[in-house]
Amino acid sequence: MRIFISIVSHRHHDVIINLGTIKALSKYDEITVVCRDNDPVGKLKRYCDKYNAHYLANGHEQGFSANNNANYMYCKFELGMTEDDYFLLLNPDVFITKRNILQLIAALKHGDINLGVANLYLDREEMVHDDNIRLYPKFSSFVKTYLLNDRSTMVNRRKGLAKNKQYWASCAFLVVKADVYNQLNGLDERYYMYCEDIDFSFRANKAGYPLQYLEQVKAVHFRRCASKQFMSKYFFWHVQSVFKYSFSKKQETALTSRLEYQNRYKK
């Protein structure tokens, strides 16, 4: 069992270097890190080279879904990732300690996890949970959350997750069995950024792969919440994705067929 970790940098080079997550992950034989630079920066390449991470520079900017799908294909076709390995989507602003890396490896060695989410916090003291696990939203939920700070879809998971409810998880720290990611044709690239994780969780659940909570695997997410900056490009990306998710037909497979999905990488 190997774990292939996908990190996408969009001018996050200083965050990645200062947090030292790639450095920490590089010490484990079971882990391979692939870092795709959406806006190439020389010092990030040097950092990745130093800690044996695979550095991939984009020729042009791509969205979050396309970048992670490309990393998956690189792991599969260039690095020999098999269907029994794991593909882990990891935000560049996530920090994980040695103890929790070992917890992650131990949890995945059992082989019974298809879609797993880590227990994320917003602080190193592990006092404040990140809202990376939520109930599925309606369109009204997005509006009320933004305008009224409504938290009805947020989950208080201090006592674990209720088994009678369905959840989605953000891609800040999402573990997917490699074969499952392939079956679902990866992230839907209609979403440039935001809501691709809701869609992916929805399709995974429909295919029989409900979200599994890795409560003992903890990490810190130093999120910026750029989409809340009114009239910013992140805000518009978020709004576009909300409309796509809310009003387009929910598909059990991504828009791109598996054959197109794989051939695009091979080209």
Side-chain angles (χ1 to χ4, degrees):
M1 184 277 298
R2 292 185 296 168
I3 306 169
F4 292 84
I5 298 182
S6 175
I7 298 175
V8 176
S9 172
H10 187 75
R11 303 183 185 94
H12 293 95
H13 44 278
D14 287 333
V15 172
I16 291 172
I17 293 169
N18 291 333
L19 280 184
T21 299
I22 289 179
K23 178 181 177 181
L25 294 168
S26 70
K27 299 176 181 179
Y28 300 90
D29 294 336
E30 299 93 337
I31 294 175
T32 299
V33 177
V34 175
C35 182
R36 183 170 294 273
D37 202 347
N38 211 17
D39 185 12
V41 177
K43 65 178 178 179
L44 180 57
K45 181 183 187 305
R46 292 191 293 273
Y47 177 79
C48 289
D49 290 344
K50 181 177 180 180
Y51 295 108
N52 299 315
H54 293 260
Y55 174 86
L56 304 173
N58 277 354
H60 61 277
E61 290 185 10
Q62 300 186 95
F64 182 84
S65 296
N67 278 317
N68 280 288
N69 286 347
N71 278 357
Y72 177 89
M73 288 302 166
Y74 180 84
C75 292
K76 180 175 180 178
F77 291 114
E78 302 295 337
L79 303 182
M81 181 173 64
T82 70
E83 62 182 19
D84 292 324
D85 292 327
Y86 283 94
F87 186 65
L88 195 163
L89 299 100
L90 186 68
N91 268 22
D93 54 2
V94 168
F95 172 76
I96 184 170
T97 64
K98 175 182 177 180
R99 178 174 65 85
N100 284 291
I101 294 172
L102 292 173
Q103 289 275 18
L104 172 67
I105 293 172
L108 298 183
K109 278 186 176 179
H110 292 294
D112 57 354
I113 294 171
N114 291 304
L115 179 66
V117 58
N119 188 3
L120 291 190
Y121 290 85
L122 296 178
D123 60 314
R124 293 178 185 266
E125 292 75 25
E126 299 179 356
M127 298 293 293
V128 182
H129 275 118
D130 186 14
D131 294 321
N132 64 309
I133 304 174
R134 305 186 188 187
L135 300 174
Y136 286 102
K138 298 178 181 179
F139 179 72
S140 59
S141 305
F142 291 108
V143 175
K144 289 189 291 186
T145 297
Y146 188 83
L147 295 179
L148 305 175
N149 197 30
D150 179 81
R151 297 183 58 81
S152 58
T153 63
M154 311 303 175
V155 176
N156 183 346
R157 58 182 189 271
R158 294 191 180 278
K159 296 182 180 180
L161 299 182
K163 294 183 179 180
N164 61 339
K165 293 185 178 180
Q166 295 182 359
Y167 304 93
W168 67 271
S170 81
C171 286
F173 196 128
L174 190 67
V175 186
V176 191
K177 197 76 171 283
D179 182 52
V180 171
Y181 196 90
N182 189 57
Q183 288 181 46
L184 297 172
N185 297 321
L187 300 177
D188 192 331
E189 295 180 18
R190 291 179 302 167
Y191 299 95
Y192 187 83
M193 192 175 294
Y194 305 112
C195 295
E196 67 286 312
D197 37 20
I198 311 177
D199 170 80
F200 186 81
S201 296
F202 177 86
R203 289 187 288 114
N205 189 67
K206 290 284 286 184
Y209 304 113
L211 189 67
Q212 295 168 269
Y213 180 34
L214 309 180
E215 186 172 6
Q216 300 307 313
V217 180
K218 301 176 182 179
V220 183
H221 185 196
F222 295 99
R223 66 184 187 185
R224 296 186 298 174
C225 296
S227 66
K228 293 187 180 297
Q229 299 172 11
F230 186 62
M231 300 301 284
S232 68
K233 63 181 179 181
Y234 300 97
F235 171 79
F236 283 109
W237 286 338
H238 199 175
V239 170
Q240 289 172 356
S241 292
V242 165
F243 273 87
K244 287 175 184 176
Y245 174 78
S246 300
F247 299 113
S248 63
K249 182 180 179 181
K250 301 294 190 302
Q251 301 179 52
E252 293 184 7
T253 58
L255 184 67
T256 309
S257 73
R258 184 175 303 167
L259 182 60
E260 292 172 333
Y261 173 65
Q262 296 186 357
N263 285 344
R264 183 177 64 251
Y265 174 79
K266 290 180 178 179
K267 292 177 182 178

